Amino acid sequence: MDLSCRQIEDIWQFIDGRRLADPGPLRIPVYRSGRPLDIEFAGAGQAPILSERAASVFREMAPNDVQLFPVEVEGQTEPYHLLNVASTVRCIDDAACEEARLYTPDDDMPDKIGQYHVVSGLRIDKSKVGDERVFRLWGWSSPIIVDEEIKGALERTGIVGGRFDEV
């Protein structure tokens, strides 16, 4: 929500893998009690929320690949940021995945035909990635893909939260 407590109209825009207009300062409610995480995903839209130390890695190592929007996290005084990954790469390696199935006309979801319906055991074709350091996957936007250097930098900061799986 914005600072006036109005819900953001399109919460899914933050996982589309495209550059966005600055939504202005946002407020994020806490859904999980306990120690704050450095990387967490907010609400139904699964917008990635980062602590300042996690955000600084992306700011320094991939400034052209991401946008960082300031957010207030309920009950926290430290700065947090919503991470918007600003690019999408079509690089899922269907044959190397355990399963990769696209929507078809038989699925009765015409707006999704040609996008991924199921992906398990995700693998990407690294030859299609080019110079991208941080990106979303075309047709399967939930994972955020980062290169090894960014992964290492995040791990060296001692972040809490987030998970890295080689793809």
Side-chain angles (χ1 to χ4, degrees):
M1 61 185 76
D2 65 20
L3 295 184
S4 301
C5 296
R6 287 187 306 249
Q7 295 289 332
I8 300 298
E9 265 186 53
D10 180 10
I11 60 172
W12 301 102
Q13 68 183 321
F14 301 112
I15 67 165
D16 281 348
R18 61 184 168 88
R19 193 158 292 283
L20 299 172
D22 187 341
L26 301 171
R27 179 174 290 134
I28 307 292
V30 172
Y31 294 101
R32 189 184 62 77
S33 61
R35 182 177 177 204
L37 300 176
D38 293 296
I39 300 176
E40 181 60 275
F41 297 88
Q46 293 296 290
I49 306 300
L50 307 180
S51 68
E52 178 57 35
R53 70 181 176 164
S56 69
V57 170
F58 288 97
R59 189 180 298 113
E60 292 168 21
M61 298 184 77
N64 298 321
D65 298 336
V66 301
Q67 293 173 285
L68 294 160
F69 301 122
V71 296
E72 292 180 3
V73 174
E74 188 177 275
Q76 300 299 314
T77 57
E78 307 82 38
Y80 281 85
H81 307 272
L82 187 150
L83 173 73
N84 181 52
V85 177
S87 66
T88 301
V89 177
R90 190 172 190 157
C91 64
I92 294 177
D93 187 338
D94 295 4
C97 293
E98 287 174 22
E99 182 178 14
R101 202 166 8 110
L102 301 172
Y103 281 99
T104 68
D106 294 339
D107 294 312
D108 200 28
M109 297 189 79
D111 58 320
K112 293 193 179 244
I113 292 173
Q115 295 181 35
Y116 286 93
H117 181 63
V118 173
V119 176
S120 61
L122 175 64
R123 293 291 176 258
I124 64 171
D125 180 343
K126 293 177 183 169
S127 71
K128 295 180 179 179
V129 172
D131 295 333
E132 299 288 337
R133 302 199 72 190
V134 180
F135 59 92
R136 297 259 188 193
L137 298 168
W138 178 91
W140 192 255
S141 61
S142 54
I144 297 171
I145 309 299
V146 299
D147 71 12
E148 282 293 322
E149 289 180 26
I150 291 174
K151 173 188 176 276
L154 288 166
E155 290 174 333
R156 283 190 299 280
T157 67
I159 62 163
V160 176
R163 185 180 94 202
F164 300 102
D165 296 319
E166 186 166 346
V167 295

